[in-house]
């Protein structure tokens, strides 16, 4: 089934590049018409001015207010959720009335839904095509997912501050990749054996286990400092349990 793509309106990277190319084309046209001396003296200053004009237009014309988006349920009973974000503050939790609900302090949300029977594949990403907006500070997102739909989560995140509360989401599998960031992850209430794979750079991670959740933590890779219990007493015999596998560079990890 064809997907539905929703994104914030505004200038994008292609439009910016197009206007710059138009400016360059005008300069080369002047060169062709015999204004070589003009082009030779003013080519690079003109390029800088052209880029500055585009950036200024982008800054003044683009709506930088808060934005929101939602993905309807549309009969979905299983969810494969992929999130790709860059720099900023991001909070993810359950409790959505729709399949997914997002609010941002900027107009930088892009979503897509593809249906495969009862499986909904949702792509949520931070629209960074309008790159000049990043000069005015990082974004702030709140993401909520449905609490009654089994969810396979994929998160690809850059630098920032991340709070992932999975305790109210029926997570069946999670793959989390984080760059230079700080992240707090509340483990899900597992149904069966649930595996959470985390890959990180220079990160500071905190894992919190709700009462009664049995878990085990394994790490490999660089110089990792681990503080806290790496395995709960009942993990080995539990049917419902969480296995955390971490691979990364120089990271500080706290479990509790």
């Amino acid at each position: 089934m064809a997907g539905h793509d929703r994104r914030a309106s505004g200038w994008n990277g292609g439009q910016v590049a197009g206007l710059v190319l138009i400016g360059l084309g005008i300069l080369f046209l002047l060169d062709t018409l015999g204004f070589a001396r003009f082009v030779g003296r003013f080519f690079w200053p003109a390029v800088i001015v052209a880029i500055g004009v585009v950036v200024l237009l982008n800054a003044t014309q683009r709506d930088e207010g808060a934005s929101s988006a939602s993905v309807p349920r549309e009969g979905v009973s299983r969810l494969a959720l992929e999130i790709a974000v860059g720099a900023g503050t991001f909070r993810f939790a359950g409790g959505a009335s729709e399949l997914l609900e997002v609010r941002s302090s900027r107009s930088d949300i892009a979503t897509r839904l593809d249906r495969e029977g009862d499986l909904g594949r949702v792509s949520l990403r931070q629209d960074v095509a309008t790159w000049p907006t990043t000069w005015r500070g990082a974004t702030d997102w709140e993401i909520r997912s449905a609490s009654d739909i089994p969810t396979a989560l994929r998160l690809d995140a850059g630098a920032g501050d991340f709070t992932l509360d999975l305790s109210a989401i029926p997570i069946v599998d999670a793959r989390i990749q984080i760059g230079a960031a700080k992240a707090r992850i509340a483990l899900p209430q597992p149904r069966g054996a649930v595996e959470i794979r985390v890959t990180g750079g220079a990160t500071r991670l905190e894992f919190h286990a709700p009462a009664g959740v049995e878990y085990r933590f394994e790490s490999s890779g660089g110089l990792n400092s681990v503080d806290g219990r790496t395995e709960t007493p009942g993990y080995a015999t539990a049917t419902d349990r969480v296995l955390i596998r971490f691979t990364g560079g120089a990271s500080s990890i706290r479990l509790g």
Side-chain angles (χ1 to χ4, degrees):
M1 179 176 179
H4 306 289
D5 199 355
R6 304 176 178 86
R7 69 183 66 199
S9 62
W11 290 52
N12 59 39
Q15 291 170 318
V16 171
L19 288 175
V20 172
L21 288 175
I22 290 172
L24 294 178
I26 293 173
L27 290 175
F28 283 119
L29 177 60
L30 291 173
D31 186 24
T32 303
L33 294 175
F35 294 94
R37 183 179 178 185
F38 170 84
V39 174
R41 290 184 59 186
F42 297 102
F43 177 78
W44 288 114
V47 169
I48 295 173
V49 170
I51 294 175
V53 169
V54 172
V55 171
L56 180 61
L57 288 173
N58 195 5
T60 57
Q61 294 184 13
R62 179 172 169 81
D63 178 15
E64 282 303 318
S67 61
S68 62
S70 64
V71 179
R73 291 175 176 260
E74 295 187 357
V76 169
S77 59
R78 295 180 297 140
L79 175 60
L81 175 59
E82 296 185 0
I83 303 175
V85 293
T89 299
F90 302 90
R91 295 174 298 279
F92 177 66
S97 57
E98 297 290 354
L99 199 60
L100 191 72
E101 298 169 354
V102 192
R103 291 185 179 181
S104 172
S105 60
R106 299 194 179 280
S107 299
D108 58 354
I109 302 172
T111 64
R112 180 179 178 85
L113 168 64
D114 291 288
R115 285 281 308 278
E116 298 177 8
D118 67 339
L119 174 65
R121 296 189 179 276
V122 174
S123 171
L124 170 63
R125 66 180 180 85
Q126 186 179 9
D127 187 0
V128 294
T130 51
W131 49 268
T133 64
T134 61
W135 298 350
R136 294 190 289 279
T139 191
D140 189 306
W141 278 29
E142 182 174 353
I143 310 167
R144 291 196 175 274
S145 182
S147 294
D148 59 339
I149 296 181
T151 300
L153 174 64
R154 301 291 184 273
L155 172 64
D156 187 356
D161 191 307
F162 302 90
T163 300
L164 309 177
D165 185 355
L166 308 181
S167 60
I169 304 173
I171 296 291
V172 297
D173 181 73
R175 300 289 184 269
I176 300 170
Q177 181 170 330
I178 300 177
K182 178 172 66 174
R184 294 164 296 278
I185 302 174
L187 300 181
Q189 298 279 356
R191 301 175 184 175
V194 175
E195 183 174 278
I196 298 178
R197 289 185 177 269
V198 182
T199 303
T203 56
R204 179 181 175 184
L205 297 175
E206 295 181 7
F207 293 93
H208 300 281
V213 171
E214 303 291 346
Y215 71 88
R216 179 178 179 181
F217 176 85
E218 300 176 354
S219 67
S220 61
L223 300 174
N224 300 318
S225 171
V226 180
D227 179 22
R229 176 178 289 172
T230 58
E231 183 174 330
T232 56
Y235 175 84
T237 57
T239 301
D240 302 323
R241 60 188 189 178
V242 179
L243 174 60
I244 308 166
R245 296 184 185 272
F246 175 79
T247 304
S251 301
S252 173
I253 301 164
R254 183 176 179 83
L255 300 161

